[in-house]
Amino acid sequence: MKSLENLDFSSNLLIGEMPPQFAEMKRLETLNLSHNNLSGFIPSKFDEMNSLTMVDISFNQLEGPIPNSKAFHKASFEALRNNKGLCGDAAGLPLCTHGKRGNKVNILIILVSGFGGLFLLSIFVILYTLHRRQVKKTNIPDEQETQNQNMFEVWNFDGKMVYENIIEATEEFDSKYCIGEGGTGSVYKAELRTGQVVAVKKFHTNTNDDDHQKSQYLKAFTSEVRALTQIRHLNIVKLYGFCSHRRHSLLVYEFIEGGSLRNVLMNNDEEARAFGWNKRVNVVKGVANALSYMHHDCSPPIIHRDISTQNILLNAEHDEARVSDFGTARLLKPYSSNWTSFAGTFGYAAPELAYTMEVNEKCDVYSFGVVMLETLKGKHPGDLVSSLSFPLSSPSNATPAYDQVAIIDLLDQRLPPPTNKEAGKVLSVIRIAFACLLNTPQSRPTMKQVAQELSTQTHHLSKPLSLVSLGELFGLSDSTS
């Protein structure tokens, strides 16, 4: 992997020594091996990693001298802390008194670190500290330091500067920058001084709200921060940072140009026609991959609880999806009941939530089934879902009404009918969608199964799509092809 630039192996319970082969990745810029159980010495070959600019090896069992490279020397104490016995010229580390593997004492280092050097260093530290305090007092950011940088590279360095940039970019959250509103907050488009465009979600903080309402906003804010700081996935919106200010509670995301899936489906016929069958199937697959990751690859699993077309964002080409709005998300606690108050959007919420408030991944599966049908139909399937949903646990219990429903009636009439190849993908989406909509939660597939089936299955047609009914698709009709 000689061209790799970023490598993050953090929190993987890795054991053993650090492989010297890492040094062969000459273009590597960031290396994160924190929160593992790595032991032994750092290989001397790491001295040759000239492209490395950021390293984090905290919370391991490493010992001995750090490599003689800029990335290690300039690393913060947080990036090196909680190891067995690291030493060297870096923040918070003791100077080494012997080389790697128990070599002889390095007398030169002891001589250099004499009283004169310590005195000069003390003077420098005092002057630098006074300078930084003065900068903070005046609230004047160092333009040379931040020019041409990604603003969020300095988020931890000076969060107040980022906050003030957001206030300036949105003119104190003027409504003309508002691009979306929800139950807990509004989303604004902000172009920062560096030219970077971000989406800023400002949570409602009305002083007239009662304590319960304020508590709900705070809970939504914390839920979203807790969920999004733990996950990284291509099909999940990226969280850059958050700010809990006495005036505003903010979340700062990457800006997704294409808007919500709902707006694309509803805006106008021309935009909907450009949103063709292949793009719609790709969007469905992307959301399935995101939910599969949340349910099966996160520990503990994350349940979104509000999957709807409003909370799915699209890129500019409308062929890639991002799941957003984690304000109602829950982390599933193992070996305990996960009961909660109702959350979600009516028309997408699973029917069992009417009589039980237990949160589990099958609630997301049902909501995703509705989203799949809405994406193909171009509008919410409405009564069709309740009238045709399987009453028990399998298609064999379906009513004869399935024979009267033509597949073509489930598709967006603004688009020309799918070609044979497209039709196979579309039929697979419909089959899986109705499996997700089974009334009995235990009978619905998992999101991992859904994602796998969407990536592999394509239904084969032996007659025109316009002649196929739902009954035939599920093998419930004598005229099954």
Side-chain angles (χ1 to χ4, degrees):
M1 299 185 291
K2 297 183 186 295
S3 298
L4 194 66
E5 295 179 356
N6 302 289
L7 180 60
D8 187 346
F9 275 155
S10 59
S11 304
N12 276 292
L13 303 179
L14 299 177
I15 60 172
E17 296 190 352
M18 293 172 66
Q21 291 89 341
F22 277 6
E24 296 175 18
M25 292 186 282
K26 301 299 183 185
R27 297 188 184 178
L28 195 66
E29 296 178 3
T30 63
L31 175 64
N32 191 343
L33 299 172
S34 63
H35 295 270
N36 285 293
N37 198 25
L38 298 171
S39 57
F41 294 88
I42 303 173
S44 58
K45 285 191 173 183
F46 275 45
D47 295 355
E48 304 166 11
M49 300 177 73
N50 298 324
S51 296
L52 200 61
T53 58
M54 191 285 287
V55 66
D56 189 344
I57 54 174
S58 58
F59 294 91
N60 281 288
Q61 299 295 319
L62 297 168
E63 55 185 311
I66 60 171
N68 184 24
S69 74
K70 184 178 179 182
F72 282 89
H73 289 320
K74 296 211 174 254
S76 66
F77 175 67
E78 294 297 320
L80 304 173
R81 64 180 299 185
N82 286 72
N83 274 287
K84 187 174 179 181
L86 290 176
C87 63
D89 183 15
L93 295 185
L95 293 175
C96 298
T97 56
H98 51 78
K100 293 182 182 179
R101 320 287 183 186
N103 288 339
K104 292 182 179 180
V105 173
N106 191 333
I107 300 174
L108 181 60
I109 294 178
I110 299 175
L111 294 175
V112 169
S113 57
F115 288 107
L118 288 174
F119 177 74
L120 292 174
L121 181 62
S122 301
I123 296 296
F124 172 78
V125 169
I126 293 169
L127 291 175
Y128 178 77
T129 304
L130 291 173
H131 169 70
R132 291 306 310 153
R133 284 180 181 172
Q134 186 62 32
V135 169
K136 287 187 177 180
K137 281 182 183 178
T138 55
N139 287 327
I140 301 174
D142 190 339
E143 294 294 339
Q144 288 183 338
E145 187 174 355
T146 59
Q147 190 175 11
N148 299 324
Q149 284 190 44
N150 180 328
M151 181 63 72
F152 296 95
E153 290 176 1
V154 293
W155 179 272
N156 293 325
F157 169 68
D158 195 345
K160 189 171 184 178
M161 180 174 62
V162 182
Y163 174 79
E164 290 175 352
N165 267 262
I166 290 170
I167 297 296
E168 177 188 345
T170 59
E171 298 178 31
E172 287 274 0
F173 297 105
D174 191 289
S175 59
K176 66 184 177 184
Y177 296 100
C178 185
I179 55 174
E181 293 191 26
T184 57
S186 303
V187 181
Y188 297 82
K189 179 180 179 181
E191 182 173 350
L192 305 178
R193 292 177 190 172
T194 58
Q196 185 179 9
V197 179
V198 297
V200 181
K201 182 175 182 178
K202 181 174 79 70
F203 284 77
H204 298 315
T205 50
N206 194 332
T207 52
N208 297 323
D209 290 331
D210 56 34
D211 290 340
H212 174 72
Q213 195 66 53
K214 291 176 182 176
S215 170
Q216 291 301 103
Y217 296 151
L218 179 61
K219 187 182 291 186
F221 175 75
T222 1
S223 294
E224 197 146 0
V225 169
R226 188 183 296 117
L228 285 175
T229 49
Q230 294 187 28
I231 54 182
R232 287 288 183 275
H233 192 275
L234 173 67
N235 299 111
I236 296 175
V237 68
K238 184 187 296 181
L239 177 70
Y240 286 135
F242 59 91
C243 172
S244 184
H245 192 272
R246 65 179 182 276
R247 294 174 59 202
H248 306 297
S249 292
L250 309 176
L251 296 174
V252 186
Y253 306 98
E254 63 176 327
F255 178 71
I256 311 296
E257 307 93 322
S260 73
L261 174 57
R262 179 176 298 174
N263 286 345
V264 172
L265 293 172
M266 293 178 59
N267 267 357
N268 56 65
D269 292 351
E270 183 179 345
E271 191 171 25
R273 280 193 291 270
F275 189 33
W277 298 117
N278 283 329
K279 288 185 177 183
R280 297 187 189 209
V281 171
N282 281 342
V283 164
V284 164
K285 287 181 179 179
V287 178
N289 290 335
L291 290 174
S292 175
Y293 166 79
M294 289 161 54
H295 290 185
H296 303 283
D297 297 324
C298 292
S299 182
I302 297 173
I303 311 302
H304 189 283
R305 295 208 297 162
D306 195 12
I307 293 296
S308 69
T309 50
Q310 181 64 35
N311 293 333
I312 296 168
L313 305 178
L314 304 183
N315 64 347
E317 292 75 29
H318 295 164
D319 58 0
E320 204 171 83
R322 302 277 200 287
V323 175
S324 70
D325 200 341
F326 285 73
T328 58
R330 285 291 297 270
L331 307 182
L332 272 196
K333 300 173 184 175
Y335 313 114
S336 66
S337 59
N338 289 274
W339 298 85
T340 182
S341 56
F342 175 81
T345 303
F346 290 106
Y348 298 89
E352 64 268 18
L353 291 177
Y355 53 85
T356 177
M357 291 300 171
E358 185 175 10
V359 178
N360 60 61
E361 68 277 3
K362 295 304 177 75
C363 302
D364 281 353
V365 174
Y366 183 93
S367 302
F368 179 62
V370 179
V371 167
M372 293 169 84
L373 290 184
E374 184 173 348
T375 304
L376 295 182
K377 191 173 177 61
K379 57 184 178 181
H380 192 280
D383 295 337
L384 178 71
V385 173
S386 54
S387 64
L388 290 180
S389 61
F390 301 130
L392 294 174
S393 60
S394 75
S396 60
N397 296 300
T399 64
Y402 271 70
D403 284 335
Q404 277 73 56
V405 177
I407 293 292
I408 203 75
D409 293 335
L410 297 177
L411 305 182
D412 196 332
Q413 304 301 308
R414 295 170 293 182
L415 271 67
T419 62
N420 279 347
K421 191 172 182 180
E422 293 173 334
K425 297 177 183 177
V426 167
L427 286 177
S428 290
V429 171
I430 293 174
R431 274 188 72 94
I432 296 167
F434 276 97
C436 293
L437 294 171
L438 291 171
N439 277 357
T440 308
Q442 296 82 356
S443 302
R444 298 170 198 152
T446 66
M447 283 310 307
K448 179 172 280 189
Q449 291 171 329
V450 169
Q452 289 172 346
E453 289 183 24
L454 283 172
S455 64
T456 57
Q457 283 195 4
T458 299
H459 201 85
H460 297 288
L461 279 176
S462 59
K463 64 180 182 179
L465 184 65
S466 57
L467 301 179
V468 181
S469 72
L470 263 182
E472 292 178 76
L473 181 63
F474 286 101
L476 305 175
S477 170
D478 293 336
S479 57
T480 303
S481 62

